[in-house]
Short mmCIF file of all heavy atoms in Angstrom, two decimals:
data_model
loop_
_atom_site.label_atom_id
_atom_site.label_comp_id
_atom_site.label_asym_id
_atom_site.label_seq_id
_atom_site.Cartn_x
_atom_site.Cartn_y
_atom_site.Cartn_z
N MET A 1 -13.77 13.28 -13.67
CA MET A 1 -13.44 11.97 -13.14
C MET A 1 -12.23 12.07 -12.20
O MET A 1 -12.19 11.42 -11.18
CB MET A 1 -13.17 11.02 -14.31
CG MET A 1 -13.13 9.60 -13.90
SD MET A 1 -14.78 9.11 -13.37
CE MET A 1 -14.51 7.41 -13.08
N LYS A 2 -11.23 12.90 -12.60
CA LYS A 2 -10.05 13.07 -11.76
C LYS A 2 -10.43 13.69 -10.42
O LYS A 2 -9.92 13.30 -9.38
CB LYS A 2 -9.01 13.93 -12.44
CG LYS A 2 -8.25 13.25 -13.54
CD LYS A 2 -7.18 14.18 -14.09
CE LYS A 2 -6.43 13.55 -15.23
NZ LYS A 2 -5.39 14.44 -15.74
N LYS A 3 -11.34 14.66 -10.47
CA LYS A 3 -11.77 15.32 -9.24
C LYS A 3 -12.44 14.34 -8.29
O LYS A 3 -12.21 14.36 -7.08
CB LYS A 3 -12.72 16.48 -9.55
CG LYS A 3 -12.06 17.66 -10.19
CD LYS A 3 -13.05 18.76 -10.43
CE LYS A 3 -12.39 19.92 -11.15
NZ LYS A 3 -13.34 21.01 -11.41
N LEU A 4 -13.25 13.45 -8.84
CA LEU A 4 -13.92 12.45 -8.03
C LEU A 4 -12.91 11.51 -7.38
O LEU A 4 -13.02 11.19 -6.20
CB LEU A 4 -14.93 11.67 -8.87
CG LEU A 4 -15.70 10.58 -8.14
CD1 LEU A 4 -16.53 11.19 -7.02
CD2 LEU A 4 -16.59 9.82 -9.11
N ALA A 5 -11.93 11.10 -8.14
CA ALA A 5 -10.89 10.22 -7.61
C ALA A 5 -10.10 10.90 -6.49
O ALA A 5 -9.81 10.30 -5.45
CB ALA A 5 -9.95 9.78 -8.73
N ILE A 6 -9.79 12.17 -6.68
CA ILE A 6 -9.05 12.93 -5.65
C ILE A 6 -9.91 13.07 -4.39
O ILE A 6 -9.42 12.89 -3.28
CB ILE A 6 -8.62 14.30 -6.20
CG1 ILE A 6 -7.54 14.12 -7.28
CG2 ILE A 6 -8.13 15.20 -5.09
CD1 ILE A 6 -7.17 15.38 -8.01
N ILE A 7 -11.18 13.36 -4.57
CA ILE A 7 -12.08 13.50 -3.42
C ILE A 7 -12.18 12.19 -2.65
O ILE A 7 -12.12 12.17 -1.42
CB ILE A 7 -13.47 13.98 -3.87
CG1 ILE A 7 -13.39 15.43 -4.36
CG2 ILE A 7 -14.50 13.84 -2.76
CD1 ILE A 7 -14.65 15.93 -5.03
N ILE A 8 -12.29 11.10 -3.36
CA ILE A 8 -12.37 9.77 -2.71
C ILE A 8 -11.08 9.48 -1.96
O ILE A 8 -11.10 9.02 -0.81
CB ILE A 8 -12.69 8.68 -3.75
CG1 ILE A 8 -14.13 8.85 -4.24
CG2 ILE A 8 -12.49 7.30 -3.14
CD1 ILE A 8 -14.51 7.95 -5.39
N LEU A 9 -9.95 9.74 -2.58
CA LEU A 9 -8.66 9.48 -1.92
C LEU A 9 -8.49 10.34 -0.67
O LEU A 9 -8.03 9.86 0.37
CB LEU A 9 -7.51 9.72 -2.89
CG LEU A 9 -7.34 8.68 -3.99
CD1 LEU A 9 -6.24 9.10 -4.96
CD2 LEU A 9 -7.01 7.32 -3.39
N LEU A 10 -8.86 11.60 -0.75
CA LEU A 10 -8.75 12.48 0.41
C LEU A 10 -9.70 12.05 1.53
O LEU A 10 -9.34 12.10 2.71
CB LEU A 10 -9.02 13.93 0.01
CG LEU A 10 -7.93 14.60 -0.82
CD1 LEU A 10 -8.38 15.98 -1.26
CD2 LEU A 10 -6.63 14.66 -0.06
N SER A 11 -10.89 11.63 1.16
CA SER A 11 -11.84 11.21 2.20
C SER A 11 -11.37 9.92 2.87
O SER A 11 -11.55 9.75 4.08
CB SER A 11 -13.24 11.04 1.62
OG SER A 11 -13.26 9.97 0.68
N LEU A 12 -10.76 9.03 2.13
CA LEU A 12 -10.21 7.81 2.72
C LEU A 12 -9.04 8.13 3.65
O LEU A 12 -8.90 7.53 4.72
CB LEU A 12 -9.78 6.82 1.64
CG LEU A 12 -10.90 6.16 0.84
CD1 LEU A 12 -10.33 5.31 -0.28
CD2 LEU A 12 -11.78 5.33 1.75
N ALA A 13 -8.23 9.06 3.26
CA ALA A 13 -7.08 9.45 4.09
C ALA A 13 -7.55 10.12 5.38
O ALA A 13 -6.92 9.98 6.42
CB ALA A 13 -6.16 10.37 3.31
N ALA A 14 -8.65 10.83 5.32
CA ALA A 14 -9.16 11.54 6.50
C ALA A 14 -9.90 10.62 7.46
O ALA A 14 -10.23 11.01 8.57
CB ALA A 14 -10.09 12.66 6.05
N CYS A 15 -10.15 9.40 7.06
CA CYS A 15 -10.88 8.46 7.91
C CYS A 15 -9.96 7.60 8.76
O CYS A 15 -10.40 6.66 9.40
CB CYS A 15 -11.76 7.54 7.06
SG CYS A 15 -13.10 8.41 6.24
N GLY A 16 -8.69 7.89 8.76
CA GLY A 16 -7.74 7.10 9.52
C GLY A 16 -7.91 7.27 11.01
O GLY A 16 -8.59 8.17 11.50
N ARG A 17 -7.27 6.40 11.75
CA ARG A 17 -7.36 6.39 13.20
C ARG A 17 -6.83 7.69 13.82
O ARG A 17 -7.35 8.18 14.81
CB ARG A 17 -6.57 5.19 13.71
CG ARG A 17 -6.68 4.94 15.16
CD ARG A 17 -5.99 3.64 15.49
NE ARG A 17 -5.90 3.51 16.92
CZ ARG A 17 -5.06 2.76 17.53
NH1 ARG A 17 -4.21 2.06 16.85
NH2 ARG A 17 -5.03 2.69 18.84
N ALA A 18 -5.78 8.22 13.22
CA ALA A 18 -5.15 9.42 13.78
C ALA A 18 -5.87 10.70 13.36
O ALA A 18 -5.47 11.78 13.77
CB ALA A 18 -3.69 9.48 13.33
N SER A 19 -6.94 10.60 12.61
CA SER A 19 -7.61 11.81 12.14
C SER A 19 -8.65 12.33 13.12
O SER A 19 -9.01 13.49 13.08
CB SER A 19 -8.26 11.57 10.78
OG SER A 19 -9.28 10.60 10.90
N SER A 20 -9.11 11.50 14.04
CA SER A 20 -10.11 11.96 15.01
C SER A 20 -9.46 12.19 16.37
O SER A 20 -8.46 11.55 16.70
CB SER A 20 -11.23 10.92 15.14
OG SER A 20 -10.73 9.77 15.80
N PRO A 21 -10.02 13.06 17.17
CA PRO A 21 -9.47 13.29 18.51
C PRO A 21 -9.46 12.02 19.36
O PRO A 21 -8.51 11.76 20.08
CB PRO A 21 -10.41 14.34 19.11
CG PRO A 21 -11.00 15.03 17.94
CD PRO A 21 -11.11 13.99 16.86
N GLU A 22 -10.51 11.23 19.25
CA GLU A 22 -10.56 9.97 20.01
C GLU A 22 -9.48 9.01 19.56
O GLU A 22 -8.82 8.36 20.38
CB GLU A 22 -11.93 9.33 19.86
CG GLU A 22 -12.09 8.06 20.68
CD GLU A 22 -13.47 7.46 20.53
OE1 GLU A 22 -14.44 8.21 20.37
OE2 GLU A 22 -13.55 6.23 20.58
N GLY A 23 -9.27 8.93 18.26
CA GLY A 23 -8.22 8.05 17.73
C GLY A 23 -6.84 8.50 18.17
O GLY A 23 -6.00 7.68 18.55
N ARG A 24 -6.60 9.81 18.14
CA ARG A 24 -5.30 10.34 18.57
C ARG A 24 -5.07 10.07 20.05
O ARG A 24 -3.96 9.74 20.47
CB ARG A 24 -5.19 11.83 18.26
CG ARG A 24 -5.02 12.12 16.78
CD ARG A 24 -4.67 13.57 16.52
NE ARG A 24 -5.69 14.51 16.97
CZ ARG A 24 -6.72 14.91 16.25
NH1 ARG A 24 -6.87 14.47 15.03
NH2 ARG A 24 -7.59 15.78 16.75
N SER A 25 -6.12 10.22 20.87
CA SER A 25 -5.95 9.97 22.30
C SER A 25 -5.69 8.50 22.57
O SER A 25 -4.89 8.15 23.46
CB SER A 25 -7.16 10.45 23.10
OG SER A 25 -8.30 9.68 22.80
N LYS A 26 -6.30 7.61 21.81
CA LYS A 26 -6.03 6.17 21.97
C LYS A 26 -4.59 5.85 21.58
O LYS A 26 -3.93 5.07 22.26
CB LYS A 26 -7.01 5.34 21.14
CG LYS A 26 -8.38 5.28 21.72
CD LYS A 26 -9.29 4.40 20.90
CE LYS A 26 -10.68 4.36 21.49
NZ LYS A 26 -11.58 3.48 20.73
N ILE A 27 -4.12 6.44 20.50
CA ILE A 27 -2.73 6.24 20.07
C ILE A 27 -1.79 6.76 21.14
O ILE A 27 -0.81 6.10 21.51
CB ILE A 27 -2.47 6.92 18.71
CG1 ILE A 27 -3.25 6.20 17.61
CG2 ILE A 27 -0.98 6.94 18.40
CD1 ILE A 27 -3.24 6.93 16.28
N ARG A 28 -2.07 7.95 21.68
CA ARG A 28 -1.24 8.53 22.74
C ARG A 28 -1.22 7.62 23.96
O ARG A 28 -0.16 7.35 24.54
CB ARG A 28 -1.77 9.90 23.11
CG ARG A 28 -0.92 10.62 24.17
CD ARG A 28 -1.65 11.73 24.87
NE ARG A 28 -2.77 11.16 25.62
CZ ARG A 28 -4.00 11.66 25.64
NH1 ARG A 28 -4.29 12.74 24.94
NH2 ARG A 28 -4.96 11.10 26.33
N ASP A 29 -2.39 7.12 24.36
CA ASP A 29 -2.48 6.25 25.52
C ASP A 29 -1.71 4.94 25.31
O ASP A 29 -1.05 4.45 26.23
CB ASP A 29 -3.94 5.93 25.85
CG ASP A 29 -4.71 7.15 26.34
OD1 ASP A 29 -4.06 8.19 26.64
OD2 ASP A 29 -5.96 7.08 26.40
N GLU A 30 -1.78 4.40 24.11
CA GLU A 30 -1.02 3.18 23.81
C GLU A 30 0.48 3.43 23.91
O GLU A 30 1.23 2.60 24.43
CB GLU A 30 -1.39 2.64 22.43
CG GLU A 30 -2.79 2.06 22.37
CD GLU A 30 -3.23 1.74 20.96
OE1 GLU A 30 -2.45 1.96 20.00
OE2 GLU A 30 -4.37 1.28 20.80
N ASN A 31 0.91 4.58 23.41
CA ASN A 31 2.34 4.93 23.49
C ASN A 31 2.78 5.10 24.94
O ASN A 31 3.86 4.63 25.32
CB ASN A 31 2.63 6.21 22.70
CG ASN A 31 2.55 6.01 21.21
OD1 ASN A 31 2.70 4.90 20.72
ND2 ASN A 31 2.32 7.07 20.48
N ILE A 32 1.95 5.74 25.75
CA ILE A 32 2.28 5.92 27.16
C ILE A 32 2.35 4.57 27.86
O ILE A 32 3.27 4.32 28.65
CB ILE A 32 1.26 6.86 27.84
CG1 ILE A 32 1.43 8.28 27.31
CG2 ILE A 32 1.42 6.83 29.36
CD1 ILE A 32 0.33 9.23 27.75
N GLN A 33 1.40 3.69 27.59
CA GLN A 33 1.42 2.36 28.19
C GLN A 33 2.68 1.60 27.81
O GLN A 33 3.28 0.92 28.64
CB GLN A 33 0.18 1.56 27.78
CG GLN A 33 -1.08 1.97 28.50
CD GLN A 33 -0.97 1.76 30.00
OE1 GLN A 33 -1.02 2.73 30.75
NE2 GLN A 33 -0.80 0.55 30.44
N GLN A 34 3.10 1.72 26.57
CA GLN A 34 4.31 1.04 26.11
C GLN A 34 5.54 1.61 26.82
O GLN A 34 6.43 0.86 27.22
CB GLN A 34 4.47 1.18 24.59
CG GLN A 34 5.66 0.42 24.04
CD GLN A 34 5.54 -1.07 24.29
OE1 GLN A 34 4.50 -1.67 24.05
NE2 GLN A 34 6.60 -1.69 24.78
N GLN A 35 5.58 2.92 27.00
CA GLN A 35 6.71 3.53 27.71
C GLN A 35 6.74 3.08 29.17
O GLN A 35 7.82 2.81 29.71
CB GLN A 35 6.61 5.05 27.64
CG GLN A 35 6.87 5.60 26.27
CD GLN A 35 6.65 7.11 26.18
OE1 GLN A 35 6.23 7.74 27.16
NE2 GLN A 35 6.92 7.68 25.03
N ILE A 36 5.58 2.97 29.81
CA ILE A 36 5.51 2.49 31.19
C ILE A 36 6.03 1.06 31.27
O ILE A 36 6.81 0.71 32.17
CB ILE A 36 4.08 2.59 31.74
CG1 ILE A 36 3.69 4.06 31.92
CG2 ILE A 36 3.92 1.82 33.04
CD1 ILE A 36 2.21 4.27 32.21
N GLU A 37 5.61 0.23 30.35
CA GLU A 37 6.06 -1.16 30.34
C GLU A 37 7.57 -1.25 30.12
O GLU A 37 8.25 -2.04 30.79
CB GLU A 37 5.31 -1.95 29.26
CG GLU A 37 5.61 -3.42 29.27
CD GLU A 37 5.19 -4.11 30.57
OE1 GLU A 37 4.24 -3.64 31.22
OE2 GLU A 37 5.83 -5.11 30.92
N ASP A 38 8.10 -0.43 29.23
CA ASP A 38 9.55 -0.41 29.00
C ASP A 38 10.30 0.00 30.27
O ASP A 38 11.33 -0.58 30.60
CB ASP A 38 9.90 0.55 27.86
CG ASP A 38 9.43 0.05 26.50
OD1 ASP A 38 9.08 -1.14 26.39
OD2 ASP A 38 9.42 0.87 25.55
N LEU A 39 9.77 0.99 30.99
CA LEU A 39 10.40 1.43 32.24
C LEU A 39 10.35 0.33 33.30
O LEU A 39 11.31 0.14 34.05
CB LEU A 39 9.74 2.69 32.77
CG LEU A 39 10.08 3.97 32.02
CD1 LEU A 39 9.21 5.11 32.54
CD2 LEU A 39 11.54 4.31 32.17
N ARG A 40 9.25 -0.40 33.37
CA ARG A 40 9.14 -1.51 34.32
C ARG A 40 10.21 -2.56 34.03
O ARG A 40 10.86 -3.06 34.95
CB ARG A 40 7.76 -2.14 34.24
CG ARG A 40 6.70 -1.36 34.91
CD ARG A 40 5.39 -2.11 34.90
NE ARG A 40 4.34 -1.28 35.46
CZ ARG A 40 3.07 -1.34 35.12
NH1 ARG A 40 2.69 -2.19 34.20
NH2 ARG A 40 2.19 -0.56 35.68
N ILE A 41 10.37 -2.90 32.77
CA ILE A 41 11.36 -3.90 32.39
C ILE A 41 12.76 -3.41 32.73
O ILE A 41 13.57 -4.15 33.31
CB ILE A 41 11.22 -4.25 30.90
CG1 ILE A 41 9.91 -4.98 30.65
CG2 ILE A 41 12.41 -5.08 30.42
CD1 ILE A 41 9.56 -5.15 29.20
N LYS A 42 13.06 -2.16 32.40
CA LYS A 42 14.38 -1.61 32.69
C LYS A 42 14.65 -1.60 34.19
O LYS A 42 15.75 -1.89 34.64
CB LYS A 42 14.52 -0.21 32.12
CG LYS A 42 14.65 -0.18 30.63
CD LYS A 42 14.72 1.24 30.10
CE LYS A 42 14.77 1.26 28.60
NZ LYS A 42 14.79 2.63 28.07
N THR A 43 13.61 -1.24 34.98
CA THR A 43 13.76 -1.20 36.43
C THR A 43 14.01 -2.60 36.98
O THR A 43 14.89 -2.80 37.83
CB THR A 43 12.49 -0.60 37.09
OG1 THR A 43 12.28 0.69 36.55
CG2 THR A 43 12.64 -0.52 38.58
N MET A 44 13.28 -3.58 36.47
CA MET A 44 13.48 -4.96 36.93
C MET A 44 14.88 -5.43 36.59
O MET A 44 15.55 -6.07 37.41
CB MET A 44 12.42 -5.87 36.30
CG MET A 44 11.05 -5.69 36.90
SD MET A 44 9.70 -6.62 36.13
CE MET A 44 10.43 -8.04 35.45
N LEU A 45 15.35 -5.11 35.38
CA LEU A 45 16.69 -5.52 34.98
C LEU A 45 17.75 -4.84 35.85
O LEU A 45 18.73 -5.46 36.25
CB LEU A 45 16.94 -5.21 33.51
CG LEU A 45 16.17 -6.07 32.51
CD1 LEU A 45 16.39 -5.56 31.10
CD2 LEU A 45 16.59 -7.52 32.62
N TYR A 46 17.53 -3.57 36.18
CA TYR A 46 18.47 -2.84 37.02
C TYR A 46 18.54 -3.46 38.42
O TYR A 46 19.61 -3.63 38.98
CB TYR A 46 18.06 -1.37 37.13
CG TYR A 46 18.95 -0.56 38.02
CD1 TYR A 46 20.22 -0.16 37.61
CD2 TYR A 46 18.53 -0.21 39.31
CE1 TYR A 46 21.04 0.56 38.44
CE2 TYR A 46 19.36 0.52 40.14
CZ TYR A 46 20.61 0.90 39.70
OH TYR A 46 21.43 1.61 40.53
N VAL A 47 17.38 -3.83 38.96
CA VAL A 47 17.33 -4.45 40.28
C VAL A 47 18.04 -5.80 40.26
O VAL A 47 18.80 -6.13 41.16
CB VAL A 47 15.87 -4.59 40.77
CG1 VAL A 47 15.79 -5.46 42.01
CG2 VAL A 47 15.25 -3.22 41.02
N ILE A 48 17.83 -6.57 39.23
CA ILE A 48 18.45 -7.90 39.12
C ILE A 48 19.97 -7.76 39.01
O ILE A 48 20.72 -8.47 39.66
CB ILE A 48 17.89 -8.67 37.91
CG1 ILE A 48 16.42 -9.05 38.17
CG2 ILE A 48 18.71 -9.90 37.62
CD1 ILE A 48 15.69 -9.60 36.97
N VAL A 49 20.43 -6.82 38.22
CA VAL A 49 21.87 -6.62 38.01
C VAL A 49 22.51 -6.06 39.28
O VAL A 49 23.64 -6.38 39.62
CB VAL A 49 22.13 -5.69 36.81
CG1 VAL A 49 23.57 -5.29 36.72
CG2 VAL A 49 21.66 -6.35 35.52
N SER A 50 21.77 -5.22 40.02
CA SER A 50 22.31 -4.59 41.22
C SER A 50 22.48 -5.57 42.38
O SER A 50 23.26 -5.32 43.29
CB SER A 50 21.41 -3.45 41.67
OG SER A 50 21.38 -2.45 40.68
N VAL A 51 21.75 -6.64 42.35
CA VAL A 51 21.78 -7.59 43.48
C VAL A 51 23.01 -8.39 43.48
O VAL A 51 23.89 -8.61 42.95
CB VAL A 51 20.54 -8.52 43.43
CG1 VAL A 51 20.65 -9.63 44.46
CG2 VAL A 51 19.31 -7.71 43.61
#
C-alpha cells in the first residue's frame, strides 16, 4: 500500500507544468515577457525623470 501511495505521489509531481519541455518553454517565455515589460516601465520612468 505504501508503494502505491509513493508511486501516485511521484506521478502527480511529474505531471506539473515544469516537468515537460513545452511547459518549461512556456514558463521561460513568460519570464522573458515579464522582464521586457519591466524594462519598458523602467525606460519610460527614466525618460520622464530625464525631461
